[in-house]
Amino acid sequence: MTTDGHRSPCASDDPYALALRAGHGPVYLRLADGRRIAMPVHRWFAPPTVADESVLDRCVGPVLDVGCGPGRLCRALLRRGVFALGVDVTPRAAAHTVALGGIAVCRSVFDRLPAEGGWQTLLLIDGNIGIGGDPRALLRRCVQLTAPTGLLLVEADPEDVEEHGTARFEDAHGHKGPPFPWARLGAPALHRVAEDLALGVADQWVHGHRRFLVLGRRSPARRG
C-alpha cells in the first residue's frame, strides 16, 4: 500500500513509516467520517498468501507493482523469474523492497517512470486503487504505463462501496499522520469506472474476503 498525494505525506515519525520500520502494526487508516480500518502490515512483510499467489499466477512480465510497500509481490515475481519493478512514494517502503532483494524506485506513479508504455502487467493490490483519491485519474495513468496488450490487476474493496475523500494513518494511541487523498472502490464501482475508460474486464475472482479484477483495453471493434 502507498498513499500519494502525489508526494508522500509520511515523515519519519508518521504511524505508517513507523509500522514499516518495525515490520508490524498496529496501524490504522482513519477515514474523514471517523471510521478506522486496520492495515494488514503483517501481511505486507509475510510471504505471499494463497490469495496473493492467485495474482502472481496471472502476471506476465515485465510487471510494475504500484504501491509496492515492502515489496512482497515484486520480490516473489523475481524469484519466479519474472522481472518486476516496485514503485512506492514512501522512501522506507522502497528501501525495504531493495534491502530484501527486490527492485524498486521511490517515486509517485504520476512521476516519469522507467519503460513507460511497455509494462505487460501492472499491479494495484492492497487497496492501491485508492492512490491519489481519484481512481479514474489513476487508471488513466496506469493505462499510459502499460503496453497496448498490457493488463491491470486490481484489488477491489470487499464491500460494495465508492468513496472519495481524505484519510490519515493512526497508531494504537491515536497519534495521527498528515491527511492525504484516498478512495475506496468495490467491484461494482470498479466495473463502472472501467467502462467509462473503455477498459474491459478480462477476468475476476474472489479469494476469501479479497476481490480481484483484470482490466485491459477494449479493441476498437468492441467499443460503443
Side-chain angles (χ1 to χ4, degrees):
M1 177 180 180
T2 187
T3 55
D4 205 329
H6 299 156
R7 296 260 64 87
S8 173
C10 299
S12 60
D13 61 346
D14 179 84
Y16 176 68
L18 292 173
L20 289 179
R21 181 186 302 169
H24 59 80
V27 66
Y28 305 92
L29 191 68
R30 177 71 76 174
L31 304 179
D33 63 5
R35 285 174 295 159
R36 191 173 78 165
I37 300 172
M39 296 287 97
V41 181
H42 63 285
R43 192 177 79 209
W44 300 341
F45 282 90
T49 64
V50 176
D52 292 331
E53 296 284 355
S54 74
V55 173
L56 299 175
D57 289 344
R58 290 167 167 84
C59 288
V60 176
V63 178
L64 185 66
D65 183 5
V66 175
C68 66
R72 79 183 188 286
L73 298 181
C74 55
R75 289 185 283 111
L77 285 166
L78 288 169
R79 288 194 295 270
R80 289 176 173 220
V82 178
F83 180 80
L85 174 70
V87 56
D88 202 294
V89 75
T90 305
R92 188 167 293 277
H96 266 299
T97 299
V98 173
L100 294 171
I103 306 170
V105 293
C106 182
R107 296 182 197 172
S108 164
V109 65
F110 296 97
D111 288 340
R112 183 72 181 174
L113 293 174
E116 292 205 8
W119 299 97
Q120 286 295 334
T121 307
L122 186 146
L123 301 179
L124 286 170
I125 307 300
D126 296 328
N128 285 331
I129 187 62
I131 289 173
D134 185 346
R136 282 176 173 79
L138 175 62
L139 289 175
R140 284 193 198 99
R141 173 59 176 151
C142 290
V143 169
Q144 292 175 349
L145 293 167
T146 56
T149 57
L151 297 173
L152 314 179
L153 272 63
V154 185
E155 182 171 0
D157 196 281
E159 300 179 23
D160 182 1
V161 62
E162 183 172 8
E163 297 179 355
H164 310 265
T166 59
R168 298 171 183 260
F169 287 114
E170 176 180 311
D171 66 17
H173 306 290
H175 174 231
K176 298 179 178 64
F180 54 86
W182 193 248
R184 296 173 65 211
L185 224 60
L190 186 54
H191 273 268
R192 292 192 295 271
V193 172
E195 180 73 19
D196 290 347
L197 298 176
L199 296 173
V201 178
D203 192 8
Q204 55 187 317
W205 71 100
V206 176
H207 200 290
H209 69 284
R210 300 176 68 188
R211 303 193 65 169
F212 306 94
L213 287 84
V214 180
L215 308 179
R217 293 175 177 87
R218 289 188 296 180
S219 65
R222 293 178 59 192
R223 295 179 188 173

